[in-house]
Amino acid sequence: MRVLLASSEVHPYSKTGGLADATAALGKALAKAGHRVGIVTPLYRGVREQFPALRKLDWHFDFTLDGKFPGGEVWTLQPTKGLTVYFINHPEYYDRPGIYNEHGTDYWDNGERFIYLCKCVTHLARYLPWRPQVVHVSDWQTGLVPLMILHQARAGRWAEPPISCFTIHNLSYQGWFPGAAYRLTNLPTEYFHGQGAEQYGVLNCLKAGIAYSDVVTTVSPRYAREITTQEHGEGLDWLLRQRQGQGRLVGILNGVDYEEWNTTHNRWLKAAYSIADLQGKSINKAALQRELGLPIRPDIPLFGTITRLADQKGVDIELGALEEMLASGMQFVLLGSGSPLLEAAFVSLAKRFPDKVHARIGYDHGLAHRIEAGCDFYLMPSRFEPCGLNQMYSLRYGTIPVVRRTGGLDDSVIDAGDDPVGANGIKFGNYSSSALSEAIRKALSIFAHPAVLRHYQKNGMRANLGWDSAVARYEQVYIAASTPCK
Ligand code: ADP
């Protein structure tokens, strides 16, 4: 098949979260499976300097945004066989210090920046000489693409339009903009209504993606069920139930890119290790403790979290549980950034427990690998979690995940209560500090029994969470989506 993906972030060119990892890895995995793949993404500041192999394509965008011609360039790179990345160069929109925001404030023109991106994706989908059969976009930033394709097809301007697949990586970010922003799409008002791109009088880009794509997917089976409920539906559960009723809502668990996230060939790690020889893990633990300025103690369990500091991630109950549990013998490292209040709370915790806690505020890809490898346990108490990647990275790194039973966390981690022999992590249910504390107590008792610890670690490292099965599921979905809706 010929598949054009599009995303506002793609690792290693840009990243704020799992969307970047998932898009890059899916693109690579589809290409490896023999498909012809393209990925469209903005050319952000610094990418051209970091990747000098980028080449300008002879391409001309002739569409308008409301009344004006925005222009723009396309630069390309072929990172692997069968995969081409198309970077949209429009410095006024994308040559900025941040991707979506600066100092915690969203860019005022995000609506325009990403409506423009949607138009570029649609233009490429239509005119690329290799004629994509599937256009697969993700989240609100590219949510208007399915509608743009549908409209051109309905208007008789696109004889054989591609299938559109829309993936929700996070339902809580919907891309709401004042109704006037809809003019920038140049679409007729017939799509701007309660069943379409409009909600409460404003433009909702994610809703347009759900309403107008041929098929909607999300990044785990459990999250696909959760978002059809009022509790997790973020005001769109009714529309998601409609799509589910048409057989057009599918949950596919993201995979792990093991070329990137592995413990045997990893430039970020002090020592390599594997399921057959875990000695290197102890070396990585000591190196991490040294790097963080924590006492180098193999006998003290080290817990870690790497996260956006946002409400979703459950860091409020994590702070509460740590207050209680730090009295026991444990160490904790946080790597994250986001809400200034939460950043301050972790910095203050580290000041009060300098021998037990290290808080690193910021973004550091290499340190993320070293935390995954050096910790004994990984804490992920999310309020909700569409898929979550770090718990899956933890499994491969022999770091036992302690997770809340929600979304993709529930789908990817096995608790002893569900399967004592296959257990590879600890799950808890209630969203409370005391429930998390209880789970941490279980972790401490596992740590106190080295044979049990090894059993959990090895089960985790053995888990096959690669992309192969996800690719096979997406292939089925692309094919099924080409038949008429129920
Ligand atoms: P989300 O997409 O909701 O942020 P995921 O668990 O799906 O959560 O993916 C998060 C990705 O971002 C992981 O690869 C994680 O390691 C990375 N990440 C998050 N915060 C940081 C940080 N401060 N430094 C380095 N990597 C980070």
Side-chain angles (χ1 to χ4, degrees), residues 8 13-14 40-49 51 54 73-76 86-91 93-96 113 117:
S8 56
Y13 317 107
S14 56
V40 188
T41 193
L43 185 69
Y44 295 113
R45 178 171 293 179
V47 173
R48 223 152 68 196
E49 291 71 18
F51 298 89
L54 253 75
E73 296 173 347
V74 180
W75 288 67
T76 65
Y86 299 90
F87 294 93
I88 308 301
N89 184 27
H90 194 301
Y93 291 145
Y94 304 131
D95 185 7
R96 301 184 184 186
R113 296 172 76 220
L117 178 64

PDB file of all heavy atoms in Angstrom, residues 8 13-14 40-49 51 54 73-76 86-91 93-96 113 117:
ATOM      1  N   SER A   8       2.176  16.650  13.700  1.00  0.00           N
ATOM      2  CA  SER A   8       2.845  17.906  14.068  1.00  0.00           C
ATOM      3  C   SER A   8       4.184  17.663  14.746  1.00  0.00           C
ATOM      4  O   SER A   8       4.954  18.588  14.954  1.00  0.00           O
ATOM      5  CB  SER A   8       1.941  18.718  14.987  1.00  0.00           C
ATOM      6  OG  SER A   8       1.589  17.934  16.115  1.00  0.00           O
ATOM      7  N   TYR A  13      13.045  14.530  14.791  1.00  0.00           N
ATOM      8  CA  TYR A  13      13.093  15.919  14.308  1.00  0.00           C
ATOM      9  C   TYR A  13      12.417  16.885  15.274  1.00  0.00           C
ATOM     10  O   TYR A  13      12.799  18.050  15.392  1.00  0.00           O
ATOM     11  CB  TYR A  13      12.457  16.013  12.913  1.00  0.00           C
ATOM     12  CG  TYR A  13      12.886  14.871  12.028  1.00  0.00           C
ATOM     13  CD1 TYR A  13      12.006  13.835  11.704  1.00  0.00           C
ATOM     14  CD2 TYR A  13      14.203  14.791  11.574  1.00  0.00           C
ATOM     15  CE1 TYR A  13      12.421  12.756  10.945  1.00  0.00           C
ATOM     16  CE2 TYR A  13      14.623  13.705  10.814  1.00  0.00           C
ATOM     17  CZ  TYR A  13      13.727  12.687  10.505  1.00  0.00           C
ATOM     18  OH  TYR A  13      14.144  11.615   9.779  1.00  0.00           O
ATOM     19  N   SER A  14      11.374  16.409  15.947  1.00  0.00           N
ATOM     20  CA  SER A  14      10.653  17.248  16.913  1.00  0.00           C
ATOM     21  C   SER A  14       9.900  16.320  17.841  1.00  0.00           C
ATOM     22  O   SER A  14       9.465  15.241  17.422  1.00  0.00           O
ATOM     23  CB  SER A  14       9.661  18.155  16.177  1.00  0.00           C
ATOM     24  OG  SER A  14       8.786  17.366  15.379  1.00  0.00           O
ATOM     25  N   VAL A  40       4.421  13.713   6.589  1.00  0.00           N
ATOM     26  CA  VAL A  40       4.462  15.168   6.443  1.00  0.00           C
ATOM     27  C   VAL A  40       4.508  15.786   7.832  1.00  0.00           C
ATOM     28  O   VAL A  40       3.738  15.411   8.720  1.00  0.00           O
ATOM     29  CB  VAL A  40       3.212  15.704   5.716  1.00  0.00           C
ATOM     30  CG1 VAL A  40       3.384  17.192   5.396  1.00  0.00           C
ATOM     31  CG2 VAL A  40       2.935  14.909   4.449  1.00  0.00           C
ATOM     32  N   THR A  41       5.400  16.763   8.011  1.00  0.00           N
ATOM     33  CA  THR A  41       5.543  17.412   9.319  1.00  0.00           C
ATOM     34  C   THR A  41       6.170  18.788   9.113  1.00  0.00           C
ATOM     35  O   THR A  41       6.836  19.012   8.100  1.00  0.00           O
ATOM     36  CB  THR A  41       6.402  16.512  10.251  1.00  0.00           C
ATOM     37  OG1 THR A  41       6.288  16.974  11.598  1.00  0.00           O
ATOM     38  CG2 THR A  41       7.866  16.486   9.839  1.00  0.00           C
ATOM     39  N   PRO A  42       5.979  19.719  10.037  1.00  0.00           N
ATOM     40  CA  PRO A  42       6.583  21.035   9.855  1.00  0.00           C
ATOM     41  C   PRO A  42       8.107  21.012   9.998  1.00  0.00           C
ATOM     42  O   PRO A  42       8.662  20.168  10.702  1.00  0.00           O
ATOM     43  CB  PRO A  42       5.965  21.868  10.989  1.00  0.00           C
ATOM     44  CG  PRO A  42       4.714  21.159  11.369  1.00  0.00           C
ATOM     45  CD  PRO A  42       5.026  19.702  11.176  1.00  0.00           C
ATOM     46  N   LEU A  43       8.734  21.960   9.333  1.00  0.00           N
ATOM     47  CA  LEU A  43      10.184  22.133   9.494  1.00  0.00           C
ATOM     48  C   LEU A  43      10.388  23.156  10.609  1.00  0.00           C
ATOM     49  O   LEU A  43      10.280  24.360  10.397  1.00  0.00           O
ATOM     50  CB  LEU A  43      10.807  22.642   8.189  1.00  0.00           C
ATOM     51  CG  LEU A  43      12.335  22.755   8.199  1.00  0.00           C
ATOM     52  CD1 LEU A  43      12.996  21.386   8.244  1.00  0.00           C
ATOM     53  CD2 LEU A  43      12.832  23.513   6.979  1.00  0.00           C
ATOM     54  N   TYR A  44      10.653  22.651  11.803  1.00  0.00           N
ATOM     55  CA  TYR A  44      10.829  23.545  12.947  1.00  0.00           C
ATOM     56  C   TYR A  44      12.264  24.048  13.009  1.00  0.00           C
ATOM     57  O   TYR A  44      13.150  23.560  12.306  1.00  0.00           O
ATOM     58  CB  TYR A  44      10.490  22.805  14.248  1.00  0.00           C
ATOM     59  CG  TYR A  44       9.040  22.396  14.364  1.00  0.00           C
ATOM     60  CD1 TYR A  44       8.675  21.054  14.351  1.00  0.00           C
ATOM     61  CD2 TYR A  44       8.031  23.359  14.498  1.00  0.00           C
ATOM     62  CE1 TYR A  44       7.351  20.671  14.467  1.00  0.00           C
ATOM     63  CE2 TYR A  44       6.694  22.972  14.619  1.00  0.00           C
ATOM     64  CZ  TYR A  44       6.364  21.629  14.600  1.00  0.00           C
ATOM     65  OH  TYR A  44       5.049  21.250  14.710  1.00  0.00           O
ATOM     66  N   ARG A  45      12.481  24.998  13.913  1.00  0.00           N
ATOM     67  CA  ARG A  45      13.796  25.628  14.059  1.00  0.00           C
ATOM     68  C   ARG A  45      14.883  24.576  14.342  1.00  0.00           C
ATOM     69  O   ARG A  45      14.673  23.682  15.168  1.00  0.00           O
ATOM     70  CB  ARG A  45      13.753  26.641  15.206  1.00  0.00           C
ATOM     71  CG  ARG A  45      15.093  27.308  15.460  1.00  0.00           C
ATOM     72  CD  ARG A  45      14.990  28.435  16.427  1.00  0.00           C
ATOM     73  NE  ARG A  45      14.207  29.544  15.875  1.00  0.00           N
ATOM     74  CZ  ARG A  45      13.941  30.668  16.543  1.00  0.00           C
ATOM     75  NH1 ARG A  45      14.371  30.813  17.788  1.00  0.00           N
ATOM     76  NH2 ARG A  45      13.235  31.622  15.982  1.00  0.00           N
ATOM     77  N   GLY A  46      15.976  24.687  13.638  1.00  0.00           N
ATOM     78  CA  GLY A  46      17.148  23.850  13.943  1.00  0.00           C
ATOM     79  C   GLY A  46      17.203  22.519  13.212  1.00  0.00           C
ATOM     80  O   GLY A  46      18.249  21.869  13.202  1.00  0.00           O
ATOM     81  N   VAL A  47      16.103  22.090  12.597  1.00  0.00           N
ATOM     82  CA  VAL A  47      16.086  20.748  11.990  1.00  0.00           C
ATOM     83  C   VAL A  47      17.062  20.681  10.807  1.00  0.00           C
ATOM     84  O   VAL A  47      17.808  19.704  10.654  1.00  0.00           O
ATOM     85  CB  VAL A  47      14.653  20.350  11.549  1.00  0.00           C
ATOM     86  CG1 VAL A  47      14.671  19.040  10.780  1.00  0.00           C
ATOM     87  CG2 VAL A  47      13.739  20.244  12.766  1.00  0.00           C
ATOM     88  N   ARG A  48      17.073  21.745  10.005  1.00  0.00           N
ATOM     89  CA  ARG A  48      17.930  21.703   8.814  1.00  0.00           C
ATOM     90  C   ARG A  48      19.411  21.653   9.207  1.00  0.00           C
ATOM     91  O   ARG A  48      20.208  20.967   8.577  1.00  0.00           O
ATOM     92  CB  ARG A  48      17.661  22.904   7.923  1.00  0.00           C
ATOM     93  CG  ARG A  48      17.593  22.504   6.480  1.00  0.00           C
ATOM     94  CD  ARG A  48      16.728  23.395   5.678  1.00  0.00           C
ATOM     95  NE  ARG A  48      17.307  24.727   5.556  1.00  0.00           N
ATOM     96  CZ  ARG A  48      16.611  25.776   5.157  1.00  0.00           C
ATOM     97  NH1 ARG A  48      15.334  25.656   4.843  1.00  0.00           N
ATOM     98  NH2 ARG A  48      17.170  26.945   5.061  1.00  0.00           N
ATOM     99  N   GLU A  49      19.758  22.349  10.280  1.00  0.00           N
ATOM    100  CA  GLU A  49      21.144  22.351  10.753  1.00  0.00           C
ATOM    101  C   GLU A  49      21.517  20.957  11.279  1.00  0.00           C
ATOM    102  O   GLU A  49      22.609  20.458  11.056  1.00  0.00           O
ATOM    103  CB  GLU A  49      21.344  23.370  11.884  1.00  0.00           C
ATOM    104  CG  GLU A  49      21.238  24.839  11.458  1.00  0.00           C
ATOM    105  CD  GLU A  49      19.813  25.268  11.106  1.00  0.00           C
ATOM    106  OE1 GLU A  49      18.852  24.567  11.499  1.00  0.00           O
ATOM    107  OE2 GLU A  49      19.651  26.299  10.424  1.00  0.00           O
ATOM    108  N   PHE A  51      20.104  18.094  10.472  1.00  0.00           N
ATOM    109  CA  PHE A  51      20.001  17.040   9.444  1.00  0.00           C
ATOM    110  C   PHE A  51      20.362  17.641   8.081  1.00  0.00           C
ATOM    111  O   PHE A  51      19.483  17.960   7.280  1.00  0.00           O
ATOM    112  CB  PHE A  51      18.582  16.442   9.426  1.00  0.00           C
ATOM    113  CG  PHE A  51      18.210  15.772  10.721  1.00  0.00           C
ATOM    114  CD1 PHE A  51      17.605  16.491  11.744  1.00  0.00           C
ATOM    115  CD2 PHE A  51      18.504  14.427  10.940  1.00  0.00           C
ATOM    116  CE1 PHE A  51      17.279  15.896  12.960  1.00  0.00           C
ATOM    117  CE2 PHE A  51      18.187  13.823  12.152  1.00  0.00           C
ATOM    118  CZ  PHE A  51      17.575  14.563  13.159  1.00  0.00           C
ATOM    119  N   LEU A  54      18.857  17.088   4.313  1.00  0.00           N
ATOM    120  CA  LEU A  54      17.561  17.562   3.792  1.00  0.00           C
ATOM    121  C   LEU A  54      17.732  18.235   2.424  1.00  0.00           C
ATOM    122  O   LEU A  54      18.662  19.020   2.240  1.00  0.00           O
ATOM    123  CB  LEU A  54      16.960  18.593   4.757  1.00  0.00           C
ATOM    124  CG  LEU A  54      15.776  18.158   5.591  1.00  0.00           C
ATOM    125  CD1 LEU A  54      16.248  17.255   6.716  1.00  0.00           C
ATOM    126  CD2 LEU A  54      15.066  19.363   6.188  1.00  0.00           C
ATOM    127  N   GLU A  73       7.528  25.965   1.335  1.00  0.00           N
ATOM    128  CA  GLU A  73       8.414  25.040   0.606  1.00  0.00           C
ATOM    129  C   GLU A  73       8.278  23.634   1.179  1.00  0.00           C
ATOM    130  O   GLU A  73       7.839  23.462   2.309  1.00  0.00           O
ATOM    131  CB  GLU A  73       9.880  25.462   0.787  1.00  0.00           C
ATOM    132  CG  GLU A  73      10.219  26.803   0.199  1.00  0.00           C
ATOM    133  CD  GLU A  73      11.644  27.234   0.569  1.00  0.00           C
ATOM    134  OE1 GLU A  73      12.254  26.608   1.474  1.00  0.00           O
ATOM    135  OE2 GLU A  73      12.138  28.182  -0.050  1.00  0.00           O
ATOM    136  N   VAL A  74       8.738  22.645   0.401  1.00  0.00           N
ATOM    137  CA  VAL A  74       8.804  21.272   0.900  1.00  0.00           C
ATOM    138  C   VAL A  74      10.253  20.811   0.819  1.00  0.00           C
ATOM    139  O   VAL A  74      10.898  20.936  -0.227  1.00  0.00           O
ATOM    140  CB  VAL A  74       7.917  20.319   0.067  1.00  0.00           C
ATOM    141  CG1 VAL A  74       8.004  18.897   0.612  1.00  0.00           C
ATOM    142  CG2 VAL A  74       6.466  20.790   0.061  1.00  0.00           C
ATOM    143  N   TRP A  75      10.757  20.328   1.944  1.00  0.00           N
ATOM    144  CA  TRP A  75      12.100  19.748   1.998  1.00  0.00           C
ATOM    145  C   TRP A  75      11.943  18.265   2.322  1.00  0.00           C
ATOM    146  O   TRP A  75      11.009  17.902   3.055  1.00  0.00           O
ATOM    147  CB  TRP A  75      12.942  20.441   3.070  1.00  0.00           C
ATOM    148  CG  TRP A  75      13.335  21.839   2.678  1.00  0.00           C
ATOM    149  CD1 TRP A  75      12.494  22.900   2.520  1.00  0.00           C
ATOM    150  CD2 TRP A  75      14.642  22.311   2.383  1.00  0.00           C
ATOM    151  NE1 TRP A  75      13.199  24.013   2.141  1.00  0.00           N
ATOM    152  CE2 TRP A  75      14.538  23.686   2.047  1.00  0.00           C
ATOM    153  CE3 TRP A  75      15.912  21.727   2.357  1.00  0.00           C
ATOM    154  CZ2 TRP A  75      15.633  24.460   1.699  1.00  0.00           C
ATOM    155  CZ3 TRP A  75      17.008  22.512   2.019  1.00  0.00           C
ATOM    156  CH2 TRP A  75      16.874  23.857   1.684  1.00  0.00           C
ATOM    157  N   THR A  76      12.823  17.433   1.803  1.00  0.00           N
ATOM    158  CA  THR A  76      12.637  15.999   2.047  1.00  0.00           C
ATOM    159  C   THR A  76      13.899  15.332   2.563  1.00  0.00           C
ATOM    160  O   THR A  76      15.012  15.842   2.401  1.00  0.00           O
ATOM    161  CB  THR A  76      12.213  15.236   0.772  1.00  0.00           C
ATOM    162  OG1 THR A  76      13.284  15.311  -0.157  1.00  0.00           O
ATOM    163  CG2 THR A  76      10.966  15.785   0.163  1.00  0.00           C
ATOM    164  N   TYR A  86       8.499  14.532   4.503  1.00  0.00           N
ATOM    165  CA  TYR A  86       8.259  15.800   3.813  1.00  0.00           C
ATOM    166  C   TYR A  86       8.126  16.894   4.872  1.00  0.00           C
ATOM    167  O   TYR A  86       7.167  16.877   5.648  1.00  0.00           O
ATOM    168  CB  TYR A  86       6.973  15.730   2.981  1.00  0.00           C
ATOM    169  CG  TYR A  86       7.017  14.673   1.901  1.00  0.00           C
ATOM    170  CD1 TYR A  86       6.594  13.374   2.163  1.00  0.00           C
ATOM    171  CD2 TYR A  86       7.505  14.966   0.631  1.00  0.00           C
ATOM    172  CE1 TYR A  86       6.642  12.387   1.183  1.00  0.00           C
ATOM    173  CE2 TYR A  86       7.566  13.981  -0.357  1.00  0.00           C
ATOM    174  CZ  TYR A  86       7.137  12.701  -0.072  1.00  0.00           C
ATOM    175  OH  TYR A  86       7.198  11.735  -1.040  1.00  0.00           O
ATOM    176  N   PHE A  87       9.100  17.795   4.889  1.00  0.00           N
ATOM    177  CA  PHE A  87       9.076  18.880   5.877  1.00  0.00           C
ATOM    178  C   PHE A  87       8.487  20.132   5.236  1.00  0.00           C
ATOM    179  O   PHE A  87       8.947  20.559   4.172  1.00  0.00           O
ATOM    180  CB  PHE A  87      10.493  19.205   6.345  1.00  0.00           C
ATOM    181  CG  PHE A  87      11.141  18.101   7.125  1.00  0.00           C
ATOM    182  CD1 PHE A  87      11.944  17.154   6.485  1.00  0.00           C
ATOM    183  CD2 PHE A  87      10.970  18.008   8.492  1.00  0.00           C
ATOM    184  CE1 PHE A  87      12.550  16.143   7.201  1.00  0.00           C
ATOM    185  CE2 PHE A  87      11.574  16.994   9.221  1.00  0.00           C
ATOM    186  CZ  PHE A  87      12.368  16.060   8.576  1.00  0.00           C
ATOM    187  N   ILE A  88       7.500  20.717   5.895  1.00  0.00           N
ATOM    188  CA  ILE A  88       6.895  21.942   5.383  1.00  0.00           C
ATOM    189  C   ILE A  88       7.664  23.134   5.937  1.00  0.00           C
ATOM    190  O   ILE A  88       7.703  23.359   7.157  1.00  0.00           O
ATOM    191  CB  ILE A  88       5.410  22.053   5.816  1.00  0.00           C
ATOM    192  CG1 ILE A  88       4.636  20.782   5.447  1.00  0.00           C
ATOM    193  CG2 ILE A  88       4.786  23.302   5.206  1.00  0.00           C
ATOM    194  CD1 ILE A  88       4.630  20.438   3.971  1.00  0.00           C
ATOM    195  N   ASN A  89       8.285  23.879   5.044  1.00  0.00           N
ATOM    196  CA  ASN A  89       9.074  25.031   5.478  1.00  0.00           C
ATOM    197  C   ASN A  89       8.268  26.312   5.296  1.00  0.00           C
ATOM    198  O   ASN A  89       7.990  26.729   4.169  1.00  0.00           O
ATOM    199  CB  ASN A  89      10.373  25.106   4.656  1.00  0.00           C
ATOM    200  CG  ASN A  89      11.270  26.238   5.147  1.00  0.00           C
ATOM    201  OD1 ASN A  89      11.202  26.611   6.328  1.00  0.00           O
ATOM    202  ND2 ASN A  89      12.087  26.772   4.274  1.00  0.00           N
ATOM    203  N   HIS A  90       7.892  26.890   6.417  1.00  0.00           N
ATOM    204  CA  HIS A  90       7.217  28.188   6.403  1.00  0.00           C
ATOM    205  C   HIS A  90       7.698  28.900   7.666  1.00  0.00           C
ATOM    206  O   HIS A  90       7.070  28.804   8.727  1.00  0.00           O
ATOM    207  CB  HIS A  90       5.694  27.993   6.418  1.00  0.00           C
ATOM    208  CG  HIS A  90       4.954  29.239   6.065  1.00  0.00           C
ATOM    209  ND1 HIS A  90       5.076  30.404   6.784  1.00  0.00           N
ATOM    210  CD2 HIS A  90       4.101  29.520   5.046  1.00  0.00           C
ATOM    211  CE1 HIS A  90       4.313  31.338   6.233  1.00  0.00           C
ATOM    212  NE2 HIS A  90       3.717  30.833   5.171  1.00  0.00           N
ATOM    213  N   PRO A  91       8.846  29.626   7.540  1.00  0.00           N
ATOM    214  CA  PRO A  91       9.504  30.157   8.741  1.00  0.00           C
ATOM    215  C   PRO A  91       8.578  31.001   9.623  1.00  0.00           C
ATOM    216  O   PRO A  91       8.673  30.934  10.847  1.00  0.00           O
ATOM    217  CB  PRO A  91      10.644  30.999   8.171  1.00  0.00           C
ATOM    218  CG  PRO A  91      10.906  30.404   6.820  1.00  0.00           C
ATOM    219  CD  PRO A  91       9.597  29.893   6.316  1.00  0.00           C
ATOM    220  N   TYR A  93       5.612  30.577  10.384  1.00  0.00           N
ATOM    221  CA  TYR A  93       4.814  29.708  11.256  1.00  0.00           C
ATOM    222  C   TYR A  93       5.661  28.803  12.157  1.00  0.00           C
ATOM    223  O   TYR A  93       5.272  28.513  13.288  1.00  0.00           O
ATOM    224  CB  TYR A  93       3.909  28.792  10.419  1.00  0.00           C
ATOM    225  CG  TYR A  93       2.776  29.484   9.701  1.00  0.00           C
ATOM    226  CD1 TYR A  93       2.372  29.043   8.440  1.00  0.00           C
ATOM    227  CD2 TYR A  93       2.102  30.557  10.281  1.00  0.00           C
ATOM    228  CE1 TYR A  93       1.324  29.662   7.770  1.00  0.00           C
ATOM    229  CE2 TYR A  93       1.059  31.181   9.616  1.00  0.00           C
ATOM    230  CZ  TYR A  93       0.679  30.728   8.361  1.00  0.00           C
ATOM    231  OH  TYR A  93      -0.355  31.329   7.703  1.00  0.00           O
ATOM    232  N   TYR A  94       6.765  28.297  11.625  1.00  0.00           N
ATOM    233  CA  TYR A  94       7.427  27.193  12.339  1.00  0.00           C
ATOM    234  C   TYR A  94       8.833  27.483  12.858  1.00  0.00           C
ATOM    235  O   TYR A  94       9.345  26.685  13.649  1.00  0.00           O
ATOM    236  CB  TYR A  94       7.470  25.946  11.434  1.00  0.00           C
ATOM    237  CG  TYR A  94       6.097  25.525  10.933  1.00  0.00           C
ATOM    238  CD1 TYR A  94       5.864  25.258   9.593  1.00  0.00           C
ATOM    239  CD2 TYR A  94       5.032  25.422  11.833  1.00  0.00           C
ATOM    240  CE1 TYR A  94       4.604  24.880   9.137  1.00  0.00           C
ATOM    241  CE2 TYR A  94       3.768  25.054  11.389  1.00  0.00           C
ATOM    242  CZ  TYR A  94       3.561  24.785  10.043  1.00  0.00           C
ATOM    243  OH  TYR A  94       2.311  24.422   9.605  1.00  0.00           O
ATOM    244  N   ASP A  95       9.450  28.557  12.408  1.00  0.00           N
ATOM    245  CA  ASP A  95      10.807  28.841  12.898  1.00  0.00           C
ATOM    246  C   ASP A  95      10.694  29.612  14.214  1.00  0.00           C
ATOM    247  O   ASP A  95      10.896  30.824  14.280  1.00  0.00           O
ATOM    248  CB  ASP A  95      11.589  29.636  11.846  1.00  0.00           C
ATOM    249  CG  ASP A  95      13.034  29.849  12.278  1.00  0.00           C
ATOM    250  OD1 ASP A  95      13.444  29.273  13.314  1.00  0.00           O
ATOM    251  OD2 ASP A  95      13.750  30.605  11.603  1.00  0.00           O
ATOM    252  N   ARG A  96      10.373  28.888  15.266  1.00  0.00           N
ATOM    253  CA  ARG A  96      10.143  29.502  16.577  1.00  0.00           C
ATOM    254  C   ARG A  96      10.815  28.636  17.644  1.00  0.00           C
ATOM    255  O   ARG A  96      11.077  27.449  17.410  1.00  0.00           O
ATOM    256  CB  ARG A  96       8.643  29.563  16.881  1.00  0.00           C
ATOM    257  CG  ARG A  96       7.862  30.362  15.858  1.00  0.00           C
ATOM    258  CD  ARG A  96       6.401  30.471  16.238  1.00  0.00           C
ATOM    259  NE  ARG A  96       5.666  31.171  15.178  1.00  0.00           N
ATOM    260  CZ  ARG A  96       4.396  31.526  15.258  1.00  0.00           C
ATOM    261  NH1 ARG A  96       3.707  31.236  16.363  1.00  0.00           N
ATOM    262  NH2 ARG A  96       3.809  32.173  14.275  1.00  0.00           N
ATOM    263  N   ARG A 113      -1.547  28.264  12.058  1.00  0.00           N
ATOM    264  CA  ARG A 113      -0.345  27.445  11.801  1.00  0.00           C
ATOM    265  C   ARG A 113      -0.723  26.018  11.405  1.00  0.00           C
ATOM    266  O   ARG A 113      -0.115  25.413  10.529  1.00  0.00           O
ATOM    267  CB  ARG A 113       0.534  27.386  13.061  1.00  0.00           C
ATOM    268  CG  ARG A 113       1.103  28.719  13.474  1.00  0.00           C
ATOM    269  CD  ARG A 113       1.781  28.611  14.831  1.00  0.00           C
ATOM    270  NE  ARG A 113       3.070  27.955  14.744  1.00  0.00           N
ATOM    271  CZ  ARG A 113       3.532  27.086  15.624  1.00  0.00           C
ATOM    272  NH1 ARG A 113       2.797  26.749  16.656  1.00  0.00           N
ATOM    273  NH2 ARG A 113       4.714  26.555  15.476  1.00  0.00           N
ATOM    274  N   LEU A 117      -0.983  23.684   7.916  1.00  0.00           N
ATOM    275  CA  LEU A 117      -0.367  22.353   7.794  1.00  0.00           C
ATOM    276  C   LEU A 117      -1.349  21.368   7.144  1.00  0.00           C
ATOM    277  O   LEU A 117      -0.972  20.579   6.269  1.00  0.00           O
ATOM    278  CB  LEU A 117       0.066  21.840   9.176  1.00  0.00           C
ATOM    279  CG  LEU A 117       0.687  20.434   9.185  1.00  0.00           C
ATOM    280  CD1 LEU A 117       1.996  20.395   8.405  1.00  0.00           C
ATOM    281  CD2 LEU A 117       0.927  19.945  10.627  1.00  0.00           C
TER     282      LEU A 117
END
